[in-house]
Amino acid sequence: MTPLKIGIVGVGKIARDQHLPALEANPDYQLVAIASRNAALSGAANFLSLEAMLEAMPELDAVSLCAPPTVRYAQARQALAAGKHVMLEKPPGATLSEVEDLARQAQAAERTLFATWHSRHAPGVAPARDWLAGRTIRGVTIEWKEDVRVWHPGQAWIFEPGGMGVFDPGINALSIATAILPQAFHLREATLQVPQNRQAPIAAQLSFSDAAETPIRADLDFRQTGPQTWDIHVDTDAGRLTLSKGGSALYIDGEHQPTGEEQEYPALYARFAKLVAAGESDVDVAPLRHVADAFLLGRRELVEAFHDE
Amino acid sequence: MTPLKIGIVGVGKIARDQHLPALEANPDYQLVAIASRNAALSGAANFLSLEAMLEAMPELDAVSLCAPPTVRYAQARQALAAGKHVMLEKPPGATLSEVEDLARQAQAAERTLFATWHSRHAPGVAPARDWLAGRTIRGVTIEWKEDVRVWHPGQAWIFEPGGMGVFDPGINALSIATAILPQAFHLREATLQVPQNRQAPIAAQLSFSDAAETPIRADLDFRQTGPQTWDIHVDTDAGRLTLSKGGSALYIDGEHQPTGEEQEYPALYARFAKLVAAGESDVDVAPLRHVADAFLLGRRELVEAFHDE
């Protein structure tokens, strides 16, 4: 097919590390433009805003939005209104309502909207989902523990309203759990630890359940020094499945299973091209909905102030 | 048609004040059973639990769930699995995810699920929606201010996690706003005042917007003594519409408009019977989604402790 002419909006770390290399390696795309207030990129037209990009380049087919979620709705609405297909970094918005609204706008405009969850394309996830299909699930334990000072140095916004705190990485775990477990689940109880000088939680313990009352627990913590943990354990009638390292390693009863290579962003762009070709959208808000549910239903405990130095 | 044999689960104040009279007055229903741990009702079979009711009365067609939202999912799942149609008091659940799950279960079971929002049936709401259709909306102001000591005496649960605090009445305003405004809207910013000895907010200021960037503001307050306010003002190119007294009185540019009588619960049961006859469900989570968004995105301020005496 003719390559999709695509523009990237918001050229920060995630765009440089992931989006640009994935696009360069994929012949279905031609990266023709970027919009960024700070960054420049040779080999593409450079704009200061999405608005300027849309105005100057009517031939654009699609845009990929990598700016923070607080500006995502306005950008996506503008791009859809201009007739572009839109791919959204995670999380797809600052609120659930705006994402639902965008999905309706994409449908009305007959354009593709793709709300991505990159962790769902970690190499262990598809094999884990296939192995779990049809098994009886007895319990699930999610441990997502990392050192915020190492992974988010100086990112004060993460503890601001809308920054989601420990749910910024935790939503990746929820995006995997909602992809591999055969049944929908919902929150029963949660406790959120919020530093007394911040707005968003630094840790959270979540207790979910499903229609079969399967216990599903998640332990999220931003205060983990030493070894870092991004694990999901699923106990079944056929043994224990473990997805480790954020979904990149798979074990059954402790035995390492072969998986493909790490290809998260290449897989996202491959899927976006397929959705565009098929005239479809993919907007699954389930991970963000679980986070909103945790803020709605969770009990808050004030804990020690957090200072990022 | 043959009357629907219906059972009520959770016979507290709202069931006695609203559900029982509405059912008695409607020939489409035969109230055959109640389930309650405390209450008794003559003229119907009395059970201590929904489980006992379902077991003893296979002829039941439908149940209406009036117990608190924290137990709603388990009861609705059980009733749907037993092949009953289900009507839910507001809010339809303690989380968004559980309501989405119930909607899927109802579809799979080919049974009606009706998530009710009683305020949408206040007499001014339908005329307001009709009058606003096609007008240009310039701004919306919601003022929902009541004295929690008067309306919720001794209801400590309302300030507990999941109790939603001032959003317990505020969700009624949001259920009306989502029904009368022609465009979807979403939260941009919010501040929640939380008493330092409680979990849920006692007041909130919300700033919403829509695709046309219309300013939509809501001011919710549980600390209102003196006159109580449940008003929605909509400024348009054709003047100002005001829905007052929780949707029961309608004004255009200050002039009182004729509306029908207060019929909220009779209208809910009339609609439920229609949905059952048509084999359809009605599960609109938009009001609860706005509340979850407010908890997700809102800035919290600790305020004076609240003591209920």
Side-chain angles (χ1 to χ4, degrees):
Chain A
M1 76 183 197
T2 317
L4 286 167
K5 291 188 177 64
I6 193 166
I8 287 197
V9 183
V11 183
K13 186 168 159 50
I14 191 75
R16 292 206 175 271
D17 290 354
Q18 301 289 351
H19 290 259
L20 296 179
L23 281 171
E24 262 166 45
N26 189 330
D28 286 344
Y29 293 93
Q30 189 184 350
L31 176 61
V32 296
I34 66 157
S36 170
R37 268 176 302 184
N38 319 304
L41 183 73
S42 63
N46 287 212
F47 299 97
L48 287 171
S49 69
L50 168 63
E51 203 165 7
M53 182 198 282
L54 292 173
E55 174 126 355
M57 303 196 82
E59 68 272 30
L60 263 184
D61 298 305
V63 296
S64 182
L65 303 184
C66 308
T70 44
V71 297
R72 209 154 278 163
Y73 174 84
Q75 294 181 342
R77 187 183 67 76
Q78 212 175 353
L80 288 169
K84 311 308 175 193
H85 305 291
V86 176
M87 177 162 138
L88 305 173
E89 247 298 348
K90 71 100 195 175
T95 64
L96 287 164
S97 303
E98 72 190 60
V99 183
E100 299 287 346
D101 193 15
L102 286 179
R104 276 189 299 267
Q105 290 180 33
Q107 194 169 22
E110 298 185 358
R111 284 300 173 272
T112 292
L113 181 67
F114 181 25
T116 66
W117 300 105
H118 65 81
S119 292
R120 286 185 174 173
H121 297 273
V125 171
R129 183 196 58 219
D130 294 347
W131 191 85
L132 289 171
R135 314 249 181 217
T136 301
I137 313 255
R138 300 209 168 117
V140 180
T141 309
I142 298 170
E143 284 190 89
W144 222 256
K145 299 179 179 177
E146 65 181 49
D147 187 342
V148 65
R149 288 187 174 86
V150 170
W151 300 97
H152 304 278
Q155 293 182 8
W157 62 266
I158 216 165
F159 287 112
E160 282 295 293
M164 304 201 308
V166 74
F167 288 93
D168 178 79
I171 203 170
N172 293 334
L174 293 168
S175 76
I176 294 175
T178 47
I180 64 173
L181 295 177
Q183 282 206 68
F185 55 88
H186 57 272
L187 192 67
R188 300 291 298 273
E189 220 171 38
T191 308
L192 313 181
Q193 282 83 30
V194 182
Q196 59 189 26
N197 61 338
R198 305 281 176 156
Q199 283 284 330
I202 197 163
Q205 301 79 47
L206 312 166
S207 175
F208 300 91
S209 184
D210 61 14
E213 304 202 11
T214 311
I216 300 168
R217 300 222 156 74
D219 195 352
L220 315 179
D221 208 320
F222 248 165
R223 300 166 301 189
Q224 179 87 347
T225 53
Q228 307 282 291
T229 310
W230 299 282
D231 288 352
I232 299 177
H233 305 282
V234 187
D235 291 304
T236 78
D237 56 345
R240 167 174 261 209
L241 175 144
T242 296
L243 263 176
S244 198
K245 298 179 184 170
S248 63
L250 177 63
Y251 301 83
I252 308 288
D253 284 333
E255 204 167 302
H256 185 259
Q257 307 290 312
T259 56
E261 276 177 43
E262 140 63 25
Q263 289 277 352
E264 294 186 15
Y265 282 80
L268 290 181
Y269 278 101
R271 175 145 178 75
F272 186 44
K274 271 191 196 156
L275 288 167
V276 169
E280 289 169 4
S281 283
D282 176 353
V283 185
D284 179 8
V285 299
L288 184 59
R289 195 160 54 212
H290 284 306
V291 176
D293 284 341
F295 278 75
L296 180 64
L297 189 59
R299 179 178 293 279
R300 287 184 168 225
E301 294 174 358
L302 287 185
V303 298
E304 197 187 346
F306 175 75
H307 300 286
D308 185 16
E309 63 236 1
Chain B
M1 79 181 194
T2 318
L4 286 167
K5 291 188 176 64
I6 194 166
I8 287 198
V9 183
V11 182
K13 184 166 162 49
I14 190 75
R16 293 205 175 271
D17 289 354
Q18 300 289 351
H19 291 258
L20 297 180
L23 281 172
E24 261 165 49
N26 190 329
D28 287 342
Y29 293 93
Q30 188 183 353
L31 176 61
V32 296
I34 65 156
S36 169
R37 269 176 302 185
N38 319 304
L41 184 74
S42 63
N46 287 211
F47 300 96
L48 287 170
S49 69
L50 169 62
E51 202 165 8
M53 182 199 282
L54 292 173
E55 174 126 356
M57 303 197 82
E59 70 271 30
L60 262 184
D61 297 306
V63 296
S64 182
L65 304 183
C66 307
T70 45
V71 298
R72 209 154 277 163
Y73 174 83
Q75 292 180 343
R77 186 182 67 75
Q78 212 175 354
L80 288 169
K84 311 309 175 195
H85 305 292
V86 175
M87 177 163 139
L88 305 172
E89 246 300 347
K90 71 101 198 177
T95 65
L96 287 163
S97 302
E98 71 190 60
V99 183
E100 298 288 345
D101 193 16
L102 286 179
R104 277 188 299 268
Q105 290 180 33
Q107 192 168 24
E110 298 184 358
R111 284 299 174 272
T112 293
L113 180 67
F114 180 25
T116 66
W117 299 104
H118 64 82
S119 292
R120 287 185 174 172
H121 298 272
V125 171
R129 183 195 59 219
D130 294 346
W131 191 85
L132 290 171
R135 314 249 180 215
T136 301
I137 313 252
R138 300 211 168 118
V140 180
T141 310
I142 298 170
E143 284 190 87
W144 223 254
K145 300 178 177 177
E146 63 181 49
D147 187 342
V148 64
R149 288 187 173 87
V150 171
W151 300 97
H152 305 277
Q155 294 182 10
W157 62 265
I158 216 164
F159 286 112
E160 282 294 292
M164 303 200 309
V166 74
F167 288 93
D168 178 79
I171 202 169
N172 294 334
L174 294 168
S175 76
I176 294 175
T178 47
I180 63 172
L181 295 176
Q183 282 207 69
F185 55 89
H186 58 272
L187 192 67
R188 299 291 299 274
E189 220 170 37
T191 308
L192 313 181
Q193 282 83 30
V194 183
Q196 58 189 27
N197 62 338
R198 306 282 175 155
Q199 284 284 329
I202 197 163
Q205 301 79 46
L206 313 166
S207 175
F208 300 92
S209 184
D210 61 14
E213 305 202 9
T214 312
I216 299 167
R217 301 223 155 74
D219 195 353
L220 315 179
D221 208 321
F222 248 165
R223 300 165 301 190
Q224 178 87 348
T225 53
Q228 308 280 292
T229 310
W230 299 280
D231 287 352
I232 300 177
H233 305 283
V234 187
D235 290 306
T236 79
D237 56 345
R240 166 173 264 208
L241 175 145
T242 296
L243 263 176
S244 198
K245 298 181 185 169
S248 62
L250 177 63
Y251 300 84
I252 307 288
D253 283 333
E255 204 167 302
H256 185 261
Q257 307 292 310
T259 56
E261 277 177 44
E262 139 64 24
Q263 290 278 350
E264 294 186 14
Y265 282 80
L268 291 181
Y269 279 100
R271 175 144 178 77
F272 185 45
K274 271 192 194 153
L275 288 168
V276 169
E280 288 169 5
S281 282
D282 176 353
V283 184
D284 178 8
V285 299
L288 184 58
R289 194 160 54 212
H290 284 304
V291 176
D293 284 341
F295 278 76
L296 180 65
L297 189 61
R299 179 178 294 278
R300 286 183 169 226
E301 294 174 357
L302 288 185
V303 298
E304 197 186 347
F306 175 75
H307 301 286
D308 186 13
E309 64 234 359

